[in-house]
Amino acid sequence: MFNIFRGLNAVTLKEFTVVLRDPMTLFFMLFPPMVEMIAFGFALDNDVKYMATVIYNEDKTVESRKLIDMFVNTDTFRVLREVNSVEEMVTEIRRGNAYVGIQIPPDFTRDLYSGRGAQVQVLIDGSNSTTALQALNTSLGITLTRSLGTILGQSGAVSLPIEVRPQMLFNPSMRSPNFYLPGVIGVVLQIATTFATAMSLVRERERGTLEQLLVSPLSRWGLMLGKIIPYMVIGFIMACSLFVFMRYLFHVPIAGSVSVLMVGTLLYIFCLLSLGLLVSTRAQNQMQALQMTMTLILPTVFFSGFIFPRETMPAFFYYFGSALPTTYYINLLRGIILRGAHLGDHMDDLTILTGMGILLFAVCALRFRKKIA
């Protein structure tokens, strides 16, 4: 019954020998993912802090300085300097020297205690939506807190009529690395493993050794699987190294089942290697294989849920993302690492990854035409 995998051991041994004797292949499979993991881990952070801020304080009272201190104490704002006019404040923002400008009018303290309501103008650079949204939400939160404190002091009440007590069930510190790093692992694994197998058959064709495989008593299934197994072992070792980096360098705990994580990782790597092998059966040279592989990267980044939530996407792109293995692997990783999920919680993702891997591998084997029996 295993005749369909005839020659599997020989091809696997040959491919292991080729890979281990090719230091450049090992280098590009192992080193760039580590660098990308470290770079993305430190760079991807939505928690914007210490935004350059200019102040135009026309009131210059204790109350106005207390309000400025409230802005600074959030660690979102960093006072760059004080300016002498609104025009100067706008100029600093337009030149890119500051992201935020805070103007406190001359009658701020008097209006605050008179009951008429004091006003503060906050100018925000909206050219960067991430920093602008952070500055807007923080500004509104500060003024709301200050307003409620004043109202309670004037009314003599000891508490608010309604008090919200939120509780974060998962990732309570709301650290950005905890959210992004599982996605980074999924993306860098795709880059390294897909590229490796995409080059395998093309390299054989360019070196003239493909004909030797064609005349040997190998089944197409044994040849395809033999091409995948060595890279699967290397890819799994690389994935384990990335998990170690994530855990001990970036201090991201794994809350769920490690065994399910390992099984899901093996299935995902098998999917990616089969996808790369499918590219290899289509490409005529290494440049074509590289170009075809790189076209898969941007859709994976944008439509898999790595950065942007898929629920907000138009229907076409949402369903397009559903055809990407990375979509299910990132969902699996975040479930296990952040939410403490176990086998039954993500059985659908594991089943889909298994089906995708088998389908892609079968298409690879069926597409490979043996010219000589």
Side-chain angles (χ1 to χ4, degrees), residues 299-347:
T300 297
V301 171
F302 290 117
F303 305 136
S304 66
F306 167 42
I307 298 177
F308 310 108
R310 296 178 62 235
E311 291 74 16
T312 62
M313 298 178 185
F316 173 79
F317 295 109
Y318 178 86
Y319 290 113
F320 180 81
S322 300
L324 300 172
T326 311
T327 299
Y328 304 98
Y329 184 63
I330 290 178
N331 188 46
L332 177 71
L333 284 187
R334 286 174 176 162
I336 294 173
I337 293 172
L338 298 179
R339 300 191 297 271
H342 296 277
L343 179 62
D345 300 319
H346 284 280
M347 183 59 71

mmCIF file of all heavy atoms in Angstrom, residues 299-347:
data_model
loop_
_atom_site.group_PDB
_atom_site.id
_atom_site.type_symbol
_atom_site.label_atom_id
_atom_site.label_comp_id
_atom_site.label_asym_id
_atom_site.label_seq_id
_atom_site.Cartn_x
_atom_site.Cartn_y
_atom_site.Cartn_z
ATOM 1 N N PRO A 299 -0.594 39.744 0.476
ATOM 2 C CA PRO A 299 -1.935 39.282 0.863
ATOM 3 C C PRO A 299 -1.974 38.640 2.243
ATOM 4 O O PRO A 299 -2.932 38.812 2.986
ATOM 5 C CB PRO A 299 -2.291 38.271 -0.237
ATOM 6 C CG PRO A 299 -1.482 38.679 -1.404
ATOM 7 C CD PRO A 299 -0.199 39.206 -0.841
ATOM 8 N N THR A 300 -0.909 37.909 2.583
ATOM 9 C CA THR A 300 -0.864 37.286 3.903
ATOM 10 C C THR A 300 -0.819 38.334 5.010
ATOM 11 O O THR A 300 -1.523 38.224 6.020
ATOM 12 C CB THR A 300 0.370 36.373 4.006
ATOM 13 O OG1 THR A 300 0.251 35.323 3.042
ATOM 14 C CG2 THR A 300 0.482 35.764 5.392
ATOM 15 N N VAL A 301 -0.002 39.368 4.829
ATOM 16 C CA VAL A 301 0.127 40.412 5.849
ATOM 17 C C VAL A 301 -1.178 41.170 6.025
ATOM 18 O O VAL A 301 -1.616 41.448 7.154
ATOM 19 C CB VAL A 301 1.276 41.374 5.477
ATOM 20 C CG1 VAL A 301 1.288 42.585 6.403
ATOM 21 C CG2 VAL A 301 2.613 40.657 5.539
ATOM 22 N N PHE A 302 -1.849 41.501 4.920
ATOM 23 C CA PHE A 302 -3.006 42.392 4.997
ATOM 24 C C PHE A 302 -4.328 41.666 5.244
ATOM 25 O O PHE A 302 -5.238 42.230 5.858
ATOM 26 C CB PHE A 302 -3.126 43.215 3.709
ATOM 27 C CG PHE A 302 -2.049 44.253 3.563
ATOM 28 C CD1 PHE A 302 -1.148 44.191 2.524
ATOM 29 C CD2 PHE A 302 -1.929 45.280 4.481
ATOM 30 C CE1 PHE A 302 -0.145 45.136 2.390
ATOM 31 C CE2 PHE A 302 -0.935 46.233 4.368
ATOM 32 C CZ PHE A 302 -0.044 46.158 3.316
ATOM 33 N N PHE A 303 -4.473 40.434 4.767
ATOM 34 C CA PHE A 303 -5.781 39.779 4.789
ATOM 35 C C PHE A 303 -5.884 38.605 5.745
ATOM 36 O O PHE A 303 -6.930 37.963 5.822
ATOM 37 C CB PHE A 303 -6.157 39.302 3.375
ATOM 38 C CG PHE A 303 -6.133 40.401 2.349
ATOM 39 C CD1 PHE A 303 -5.551 40.194 1.109
ATOM 40 C CD2 PHE A 303 -6.674 41.644 2.629
ATOM 41 C CE1 PHE A 303 -5.514 41.207 0.161
ATOM 42 C CE2 PHE A 303 -6.643 42.663 1.693
ATOM 43 C CZ PHE A 303 -6.061 42.449 0.459
ATOM 44 N N SER A 304 -4.824 38.286 6.475
ATOM 45 C CA SER A 304 -4.852 37.128 7.371
ATOM 46 C C SER A 304 -5.282 37.486 8.788
ATOM 47 O O SER A 304 -5.446 36.601 9.623
ATOM 48 C CB SER A 304 -3.467 36.472 7.420
ATOM 49 O OG SER A 304 -2.516 37.351 8.020
ATOM 50 N N GLY A 305 -5.440 38.776 9.083
ATOM 51 C CA GLY A 305 -5.719 39.199 10.445
ATOM 52 C C GLY A 305 -4.474 39.457 11.251
ATOM 53 O O GLY A 305 -4.553 39.672 12.462
ATOM 54 N N PHE A 306 -3.310 39.435 10.608
ATOM 55 C CA PHE A 306 -2.044 39.688 11.295
ATOM 56 C C PHE A 306 -2.024 41.089 11.911
ATOM 57 O O PHE A 306 -1.674 41.269 13.081
ATOM 58 C CB PHE A 306 -0.900 39.500 10.302
ATOM 59 C CG PHE A 306 0.432 40.012 10.782
ATOM 60 C CD1 PHE A 306 0.858 39.806 12.085
ATOM 61 C CD2 PHE A 306 1.271 40.697 9.929
ATOM 62 C CE1 PHE A 306 2.082 40.281 12.524
ATOM 63 C CE2 PHE A 306 2.504 41.169 10.349
ATOM 64 C CZ PHE A 306 2.897 40.967 11.655
ATOM 65 N N ILE A 307 -2.416 42.095 11.147
ATOM 66 C CA ILE A 307 -2.427 43.475 11.634
ATOM 67 C C ILE A 307 -3.842 44.013 11.742
ATOM 68 O O ILE A 307 -4.226 44.582 12.769
ATOM 69 C CB ILE A 307 -1.580 44.375 10.713
ATOM 70 C CG1 ILE A 307 -0.120 43.923 10.706
ATOM 71 C CG2 ILE A 307 -1.675 45.838 11.151
ATOM 72 C CD1 ILE A 307 0.763 44.717 9.769
ATOM 73 N N PHE A 308 -4.637 43.823 10.686
ATOM 74 C CA PHE A 308 -5.974 44.403 10.635
ATOM 75 C C PHE A 308 -7.023 43.335 10.926
ATOM 76 O O PHE A 308 -6.924 42.207 10.434
ATOM 77 C CB PHE A 308 -6.238 45.011 9.258
ATOM 78 C CG PHE A 308 -5.146 45.936 8.793
ATOM 79 C CD1 PHE A 308 -4.284 45.558 7.778
ATOM 80 C CD2 PHE A 308 -4.976 47.172 9.385
ATOM 81 C CE1 PHE A 308 -3.264 46.391 7.349
ATOM 82 C CE2 PHE A 308 -3.967 48.023 8.973
ATOM 83 C CZ PHE A 308 -3.112 47.635 7.956
ATOM 84 N N PRO A 309 -8.056 43.651 11.720
ATOM 85 C CA PRO A 309 -9.115 42.669 11.984
ATOM 86 C C PRO A 309 -9.885 42.333 10.717
ATOM 87 O O PRO A 309 -10.300 43.233 9.979
ATOM 88 C CB PRO A 309 -10.001 43.378 13.022
ATOM 89 C CG PRO A 309 -9.702 44.832 12.873
ATOM 90 C CD PRO A 309 -8.274 44.917 12.436
ATOM 91 N N ARG A 310 -10.074 41.069 10.453
ATOM 92 C CA ARG A 310 -10.733 40.635 9.220
ATOM 93 C C ARG A 310 -12.206 41.003 9.202
ATOM 94 O O ARG A 310 -12.803 41.146 8.131
ATOM 95 C CB ARG A 310 -10.576 39.122 9.051
ATOM 96 C CG ARG A 310 -9.130 38.681 8.875
ATOM 97 C CD ARG A 310 -9.008 37.171 8.767
ATOM 98 N NE ARG A 310 -9.717 36.653 7.619
ATOM 99 C CZ ARG A 310 -10.648 35.715 7.671
ATOM 100 N NH1 ARG A 310 -10.982 35.187 8.838
ATOM 101 N NH2 ARG A 310 -11.243 35.290 6.583
ATOM 102 N N GLU A 311 -12.803 41.163 10.373
ATOM 103 C CA GLU A 311 -14.234 41.467 10.441
ATOM 104 C C GLU A 311 -14.569 42.830 9.845
ATOM 105 O O GLU A 311 -15.716 43.077 9.457
ATOM 106 C CB GLU A 311 -14.712 41.412 11.887
ATOM 107 C CG GLU A 311 -14.731 40.011 12.500
ATOM 108 C CD GLU A 311 -13.346 39.495 12.834
ATOM 109 O OE1 GLU A 311 -12.401 40.322 12.882
ATOM 110 O OE2 GLU A 311 -13.193 38.279 13.042
ATOM 111 N N THR A 312 -13.593 43.733 9.770
ATOM 112 C CA THR A 312 -13.848 45.063 9.211
ATOM 113 C C THR A 312 -13.595 45.127 7.710
ATOM 114 O O THR A 312 -13.828 46.176 7.091
ATOM 115 C CB THR A 312 -12.946 46.106 9.902
ATOM 116 O OG1 THR A 312 -11.569 45.783 9.655
ATOM 117 C CG2 THR A 312 -13.189 46.106 11.404
ATOM 118 N N MET A 313 -13.128 44.039 7.105
ATOM 119 C CA MET A 313 -12.806 44.043 5.682
ATOM 120 C C MET A 313 -14.053 43.842 4.837
ATOM 121 O O MET A 313 -15.043 43.250 5.290
ATOM 122 C CB MET A 313 -11.809 42.916 5.369
ATOM 123 C CG MET A 313 -10.481 43.039 6.072
ATOM 124 S SD MET A 313 -9.386 41.642 5.683
ATOM 125 C CE MET A 313 -8.011 42.006 6.766
ATOM 126 N N PRO A 314 -14.039 44.343 3.578
ATOM 127 C CA PRO A 314 -15.124 43.998 2.641
ATOM 128 C C PRO A 314 -15.215 42.490 2.454
ATOM 129 O O PRO A 314 -14.237 41.763 2.660
ATOM 130 C CB PRO A 314 -14.685 44.705 1.343
ATOM 131 C CG PRO A 314 -13.768 45.799 1.778
ATOM 132 C CD PRO A 314 -13.076 45.294 3.021
ATOM 133 N N ALA A 315 -16.387 42.036 2.063
ATOM 134 C CA ALA A 315 -16.649 40.594 1.990
ATOM 135 C C ALA A 315 -15.653 39.871 1.100
ATOM 136 O O ALA A 315 -15.180 38.769 1.431
ATOM 137 C CB ALA A 315 -18.072 40.347 1.493
ATOM 138 N N PHE A 316 -15.267 40.477 -0.041
ATOM 139 C CA PHE A 316 -14.351 39.809 -0.966
ATOM 140 C C PHE A 316 -13.021 39.517 -0.290
ATOM 141 O O PHE A 316 -12.482 38.403 -0.378
ATOM 142 C CB PHE A 316 -14.134 40.671 -2.216
ATOM 143 C CG PHE A 316 -13.079 40.132 -3.145
ATOM 144 C CD1 PHE A 316 -13.375 39.090 -4.007
ATOM 145 C CD2 PHE A 316 -11.788 40.648 -3.133
ATOM 146 C CE1 PHE A 316 -12.398 38.577 -4.852
ATOM 147 C CE2 PHE A 316 -10.810 40.139 -3.970
ATOM 148 C CZ PHE A 316 -11.119 39.106 -4.837
ATOM 149 N N PHE A 317 -12.451 40.516 0.386
ATOM 150 C CA PHE A 317 -11.153 40.337 1.013
ATOM 151 C C PHE A 317 -11.251 39.453 2.258
ATOM 152 O O PHE A 317 -10.298 38.757 2.607
ATOM 153 C CB PHE A 317 -10.554 41.697 1.371
ATOM 154 C CG PHE A 317 -10.243 42.542 0.168
ATOM 155 C CD1 PHE A 317 -11.002 43.657 -0.120
ATOM 156 C CD2 PHE A 317 -9.216 42.195 -0.691
ATOM 157 C CE1 PHE A 317 -10.726 44.425 -1.237
ATOM 158 C CE2 PHE A 317 -8.932 42.966 -1.810
ATOM 159 C CZ PHE A 317 -9.695 44.076 -2.087
ATOM 160 N N TYR A 318 -12.405 39.471 2.921
ATOM 161 C CA TYR A 318 -12.592 38.586 4.071
ATOM 162 C C TYR A 318 -12.525 37.128 3.622
ATOM 163 O O TYR A 318 -11.831 36.305 4.231
ATOM 164 C CB TYR A 318 -13.934 38.874 4.736
ATOM 165 C CG TYR A 318 -14.240 37.972 5.902
ATOM 166 C CD1 TYR A 318 -13.783 38.290 7.184
ATOM 167 C CD2 TYR A 318 -14.974 36.795 5.737
ATOM 168 C CE1 TYR A 318 -14.056 37.454 8.259
ATOM 169 C CE2 TYR A 318 -15.242 35.958 6.808
ATOM 170 C CZ TYR A 318 -14.785 36.298 8.068
ATOM 171 O OH TYR A 318 -15.050 35.471 9.130
ATOM 172 N N TYR A 319 -13.239 36.802 2.526
ATOM 173 C CA TYR A 319 -13.238 35.415 2.050
ATOM 174 C C TYR A 319 -11.917 35.066 1.370
ATOM 175 O O TYR A 319 -11.494 33.902 1.381
ATOM 176 C CB TYR A 319 -14.414 35.189 1.105
ATOM 177 C CG TYR A 319 -15.739 35.206 1.831
ATOM 178 C CD1 TYR A 319 -16.661 36.214 1.618
ATOM 179 C CD2 TYR A 319 -16.060 34.216 2.759
ATOM 180 C CE1 TYR A 319 -17.873 36.238 2.302
ATOM 181 C CE2 TYR A 319 -17.258 34.220 3.447
ATOM 182 C CZ TYR A 319 -18.167 35.239 3.209
ATOM 183 O OH TYR A 319 -19.359 35.265 3.889
ATOM 184 N N PHE A 320 -11.254 36.068 0.791
ATOM 185 C CA PHE A 320 -9.921 35.815 0.235
ATOM 186 C C PHE A 320 -8.963 35.417 1.352
ATOM 187 O O PHE A 320 -8.149 34.504 1.192
ATOM 188 C CB PHE A 320 -9.414 37.076 -0.477
ATOM 189 C CG PHE A 320 -8.050 36.912 -1.093
ATOM 190 C CD1 PHE A 320 -7.895 36.285 -2.315
ATOM 191 C CD2 PHE A 320 -6.919 37.372 -0.440
ATOM 192 C CE1 PHE A 320 -6.637 36.121 -2.880
ATOM 193 C CE2 PHE A 320 -5.656 37.214 -0.993
ATOM 194 C CZ PHE A 320 -5.518 36.583 -2.216
ATOM 195 N N GLY A 321 -9.047 36.111 2.497
ATOM 196 C CA GLY A 321 -8.216 35.747 3.640
ATOM 197 C C GLY A 321 -8.522 34.359 4.163
ATOM 198 O O GLY A 321 -7.644 33.708 4.749
ATOM 199 N N SER A 322 -9.745 33.892 3.953
ATOM 200 C CA SER A 322 -10.116 32.553 4.411
ATOM 201 C C SER A 322 -9.404 31.457 3.623
ATOM 202 O O SER A 322 -9.404 30.297 4.044
ATOM 203 C CB SER A 322 -11.637 32.356 4.303
ATOM 204 O OG SER A 322 -12.320 33.301 5.091
ATOM 205 N N ALA A 323 -8.836 31.805 2.465
ATOM 206 C CA ALA A 323 -8.118 30.817 1.660
ATOM 207 C C ALA A 323 -6.641 30.749 2.005
ATOM 208 O O ALA A 323 -5.908 29.959 1.400
ATOM 209 C CB ALA A 323 -8.285 31.151 0.173
ATOM 210 N N LEU A 324 -6.192 31.549 2.983
ATOM 211 C CA LEU A 324 -4.783 31.593 3.342
ATOM 212 C C LEU A 324 -4.524 30.729 4.577
ATOM 213 O O LEU A 324 -5.201 30.902 5.595
ATOM 214 C CB LEU A 324 -4.349 33.035 3.633
ATOM 215 C CG LEU A 324 -4.517 34.030 2.484
ATOM 216 C CD1 LEU A 324 -4.233 35.444 2.982
ATOM 217 C CD2 LEU A 324 -3.595 33.674 1.331
ATOM 218 N N PRO A 325 -3.556 29.814 4.537
ATOM 219 C CA PRO A 325 -3.253 29.013 5.734
ATOM 220 C C PRO A 325 -2.844 29.861 6.930
ATOM 221 O O PRO A 325 -3.133 29.510 8.077
ATOM 222 C CB PRO A 325 -2.091 28.111 5.271
ATOM 223 C CG PRO A 325 -2.176 28.099 3.788
ATOM 224 C CD PRO A 325 -2.733 29.425 3.381
ATOM 225 N N THR A 326 -2.178 30.982 6.673
ATOM 226 C CA THR A 326 -1.704 31.832 7.764
ATOM 227 C C THR A 326 -2.851 32.374 8.596
ATOM 228 O O THR A 326 -2.704 32.606 9.804
ATOM 229 C CB THR A 326 -0.871 33.005 7.195
ATOM 230 O OG1 THR A 326 0.093 32.484 6.289
ATOM 231 C CG2 THR A 326 -0.151 33.756 8.303
ATOM 232 N N THR A 327 -4.005 32.587 7.981
ATOM 233 C CA THR A 327 -5.177 33.080 8.709
ATOM 234 C C THR A 327 -5.530 32.145 9.865
ATOM 235 O O THR A 327 -5.754 32.586 10.999
ATOM 236 C CB THR A 327 -6.380 33.212 7.758
ATOM 237 O OG1 THR A 327 -6.053 34.151 6.729
ATOM 238 C CG2 THR A 327 -7.624 33.683 8.497
ATOM 239 N N TYR A 328 -5.557 30.862 9.593
ATOM 240 C CA TYR A 328 -5.954 29.885 10.614
ATOM 241 C C TYR A 328 -4.826 29.646 11.620
ATOM 242 O O TYR A 328 -5.096 29.409 12.800
ATOM 243 C CB TYR A 328 -6.361 28.583 9.931
ATOM 244 C CG TYR A 328 -7.454 28.788 8.920
ATOM 245 C CD1 TYR A 328 -7.174 28.914 7.563
ATOM 246 C CD2 TYR A 328 -8.786 28.927 9.322
ATOM 247 C CE1 TYR A 328 -8.177 29.146 6.637
ATOM 248 C CE2 TYR A 328 -9.799 29.151 8.398
ATOM 249 C CZ TYR A 328 -9.486 29.264 7.066
ATOM 250 O OH TYR A 328 -10.482 29.511 6.153
ATOM 251 N N TYR A 329 -3.594 29.740 11.156
ATOM 252 C CA TYR A 329 -2.475 29.522 12.076
ATOM 253 C C TYR A 329 -2.353 30.683 13.066
ATOM 254 O O TYR A 329 -2.116 30.456 14.260
ATOM 255 C CB TYR A 329 -1.187 29.362 11.286
ATOM 256 C CG TYR A 329 0.003 29.036 12.156
ATOM 257 C CD1 TYR A 329 0.048 27.857 12.894
ATOM 258 C CD2 TYR A 329 1.090 29.900 12.245
ATOM 259 C CE1 TYR A 329 1.138 27.552 13.697
ATOM 260 C CE2 TYR A 329 2.187 29.599 13.045
ATOM 261 C CZ TYR A 329 2.197 28.418 13.764
ATOM 262 O OH TYR A 329 3.278 28.112 14.564
ATOM 263 N N ILE A 330 -2.517 31.918 12.591
ATOM 264 C CA ILE A 330 -2.455 33.066 13.498
ATOM 265 C C ILE A 330 -3.594 33.008 14.508
ATOM 266 O O ILE A 330 -3.403 33.291 15.699
ATOM 267 C CB ILE A 330 -2.489 34.377 12.697
ATOM 268 C CG1 ILE A 330 -1.183 34.561 11.926
ATOM 269 C CG2 ILE A 330 -2.731 35.576 13.614
ATOM 270 C CD1 ILE A 330 -1.134 35.797 11.060
ATOM 271 N N ASN A 331 -4.774 32.627 14.047
ATOM 272 C CA ASN A 331 -5.903 32.491 14.965
ATOM 273 C C ASN A 331 -5.619 31.415 16.009
ATOM 274 O O ASN A 331 -5.926 31.581 17.204
ATOM 275 C CB ASN A 331 -7.167 32.139 14.174
ATOM 276 C CG ASN A 331 -8.413 32.170 15.036
ATOM 277 O OD1 ASN A 331 -8.628 33.100 15.808
ATOM 278 N ND2 ASN A 331 -9.245 31.147 14.914
ATOM 279 N N LEU A 332 -5.002 30.315 15.573
ATOM 280 C CA LEU A 332 -4.636 29.229 16.486
ATOM 281 C C LEU A 332 -3.588 29.703 17.489
ATOM 282 O O LEU A 332 -3.701 29.444 18.697
ATOM 283 C CB LEU A 332 -4.106 28.052 15.675
ATOM 284 C CG LEU A 332 -3.615 26.839 16.464
ATOM 285 C CD1 LEU A 332 -4.785 26.106 17.088
ATOM 286 C CD2 LEU A 332 -2.828 25.889 15.550
ATOM 287 N N LEU A 333 -2.558 30.407 17.015
ATOM 288 C CA LEU A 333 -1.499 30.873 17.900
ATOM 289 C C LEU A 333 -2.031 31.829 18.956
ATOM 290 O O LEU A 333 -1.710 31.706 20.145
ATOM 291 C CB LEU A 333 -0.407 31.573 17.089
ATOM 292 C CG LEU A 333 0.561 30.707 16.290
ATOM 293 C CD1 LEU A 333 1.656 31.563 15.692
ATOM 294 C CD2 LEU A 333 1.174 29.625 17.154
ATOM 295 N N ARG A 334 -2.820 32.788 18.537
ATOM 296 C CA ARG A 334 -3.342 33.765 19.500
ATOM 297 C C ARG A 334 -4.288 33.110 20.497
ATOM 298 O O ARG A 334 -4.338 33.507 21.667
ATOM 299 C CB ARG A 334 -4.041 34.902 18.758
ATOM 300 C CG ARG A 334 -3.041 35.839 18.067
ATOM 301 C CD ARG A 334 -3.697 36.888 17.218
ATOM 302 N NE ARG A 334 -2.701 37.805 16.663
ATOM 303 C CZ ARG A 334 -2.903 38.609 15.628
ATOM 304 N NH1 ARG A 334 -4.085 38.606 15.010
ATOM 305 N NH2 ARG A 334 -1.941 39.408 15.194
ATOM 306 N N GLY A 335 -5.023 32.106 20.038
ATOM 307 C CA GLY A 335 -5.897 31.390 20.960
ATOM 308 C C GLY A 335 -5.125 30.638 22.019
ATOM 309 O O GLY A 335 -5.455 30.682 23.200
ATOM 310 N N ILE A 336 -4.048 29.947 21.596
ATOM 311 C CA ILE A 336 -3.258 29.151 22.535
ATOM 312 C C ILE A 336 -2.388 30.041 23.417
ATOM 313 O O ILE A 336 -2.355 29.895 24.642
ATOM 314 C CB ILE A 336 -2.393 28.137 21.769
ATOM 315 C CG1 ILE A 336 -3.290 27.102 21.065
ATOM 316 C CG2 ILE A 336 -1.425 27.428 22.711
ATOM 317 C CD1 ILE A 336 -2.539 26.170 20.148
ATOM 318 N N ILE A 337 -1.668 30.979 22.797
ATOM 319 C CA ILE A 337 -0.692 31.791 23.538
ATOM 320 C C ILE A 337 -1.381 32.800 24.451
ATOM 321 O O ILE A 337 -0.988 32.967 25.611
ATOM 322 C CB ILE A 337 0.251 32.498 22.548
ATOM 323 C CG1 ILE A 337 1.116 31.459 21.826
ATOM 324 C CG2 ILE A 337 1.143 33.508 23.270
ATOM 325 C CD1 ILE A 337 1.939 32.026 20.689
ATOM 326 N N LEU A 338 -2.421 33.474 23.957
ATOM 327 C CA LEU A 338 -3.036 34.555 24.731
ATOM 328 C C LEU A 338 -4.229 34.102 25.557
ATOM 329 O O LEU A 338 -4.392 34.523 26.700
ATOM 330 C CB LEU A 338 -3.476 35.683 23.785
ATOM 331 C CG LEU A 338 -2.363 36.380 22.990
ATOM 332 C CD1 LEU A 338 -2.953 37.444 22.081
ATOM 333 C CD2 LEU A 338 -1.344 36.993 23.926
ATOM 334 N N ARG A 339 -5.084 33.256 24.968
ATOM 335 C CA ARG A 339 -6.336 32.917 25.643
ATOM 336 C C ARG A 339 -6.303 31.560 26.333
ATOM 337 O O ARG A 339 -7.319 31.143 26.898
ATOM 338 C CB ARG A 339 -7.496 32.974 24.634
ATOM 339 C CG ARG A 339 -7.681 34.342 24.003
ATOM 340 C CD ARG A 339 -8.987 34.414 23.227
ATOM 341 N NE ARG A 339 -9.019 33.477 22.117
ATOM 342 C CZ ARG A 339 -8.591 33.760 20.899
ATOM 343 N NH1 ARG A 339 -8.044 34.939 20.639
ATOM 344 N NH2 ARG A 339 -8.670 32.866 19.920
ATOM 345 N N GLY A 340 -5.195 30.849 26.260
ATOM 346 C CA GLY A 340 -5.104 29.572 26.956
ATOM 347 C C GLY A 340 -5.956 28.477 26.346
ATOM 348 O O GLY A 340 -6.454 27.599 27.062
ATOM 349 N N ALA A 341 -6.120 28.487 25.027
ATOM 350 C CA ALA A 341 -6.982 27.511 24.364
ATOM 351 C C ALA A 341 -6.348 26.125 24.355
ATOM 352 O O ALA A 341 -5.128 25.969 24.437
ATOM 353 C CB ALA A 341 -7.276 27.965 22.934
ATOM 354 N N HIS A 342 -7.199 25.110 24.232
ATOM 355 C CA HIS A 342 -6.760 23.725 24.169
ATOM 356 C C HIS A 342 -7.257 23.093 22.874
ATOM 357 O O HIS A 342 -7.779 23.787 21.987
ATOM 358 C CB HIS A 342 -7.246 22.958 25.391
ATOM 359 C CG HIS A 342 -6.650 23.464 26.679
ATOM 360 N ND1 HIS A 342 -5.413 23.070 27.123
ATOM 361 C CD2 HIS A 342 -7.119 24.346 27.600
ATOM 362 C CE1 HIS A 342 -5.139 23.676 28.265
ATOM 363 N NE2 HIS A 342 -6.160 24.459 28.576
ATOM 364 N N LEU A 343 -7.128 21.793 22.757
ATOM 365 C CA LEU A 343 -7.394 21.094 21.502
ATOM 366 C C LEU A 343 -8.818 21.357 20.995
ATOM 367 O O LEU A 343 -9.012 21.730 19.836
ATOM 368 C CB LEU A 343 -7.160 19.592 21.679
ATOM 369 C CG LEU A 343 -7.432 18.721 20.449
ATOM 370 C CD1 LEU A 343 -6.504 19.115 19.305
ATOM 371 C CD2 LEU A 343 -7.260 17.243 20.791
ATOM 372 N N GLY A 344 -9.802 21.167 21.844
ATOM 373 C CA GLY A 344 -11.176 21.306 21.397
ATOM 374 C C GLY A 344 -11.565 22.715 21.009
ATOM 375 O O GLY A 344 -12.507 22.915 20.233
ATOM 376 N N ASP A 345 -10.837 23.718 21.524
ATOM 377 C CA ASP A 345 -11.188 25.108 21.244
ATOM 378 C C ASP A 345 -10.855 25.519 19.818
ATOM 379 O O ASP A 345 -11.467 26.448 19.279
ATOM 380 C CB ASP A 345 -10.460 26.037 22.222
ATOM 381 C CG ASP A 345 -10.825 25.752 23.663
ATOM 382 O OD1 ASP A 345 -12.016 25.513 23.923
ATOM 383 O OD2 ASP A 345 -9.927 25.756 24.529
ATOM 384 N N HIS A 346 -9.876 24.873 19.209
ATOM 385 C CA HIS A 346 -9.457 25.254 17.858
ATOM 386 C C HIS A 346 -9.389 24.047 16.937
ATOM 387 O O HIS A 346 -8.528 23.984 16.056
ATOM 388 C CB HIS A 346 -8.105 25.963 17.905
ATOM 389 C CG HIS A 346 -8.189 27.379 18.392
ATOM 390 N ND1 HIS A 346 -8.581 28.430 17.597
ATOM 391 C CD2 HIS A 346 -7.966 27.900 19.617
ATOM 392 C CE1 HIS A 346 -8.571 29.550 18.300
ATOM 393 N NE2 HIS A 346 -8.203 29.256 19.530
ATOM 394 N N MET A 347 -10.290 23.104 17.128
ATOM 395 C CA MET A 347 -10.325 21.936 16.260
ATOM 396 C C MET A 347 -10.627 22.325 14.810
ATOM 397 O O MET A 347 -10.103 21.713 13.867
ATOM 398 C CB MET A 347 -11.370 20.944 16.765
ATOM 399 C CG MET A 347 -11.420 19.655 15.963
ATOM 400 S SD MET A 347 -9.831 18.767 15.971
ATOM 401 C CE MET A 347 -9.803 18.196 17.674
#
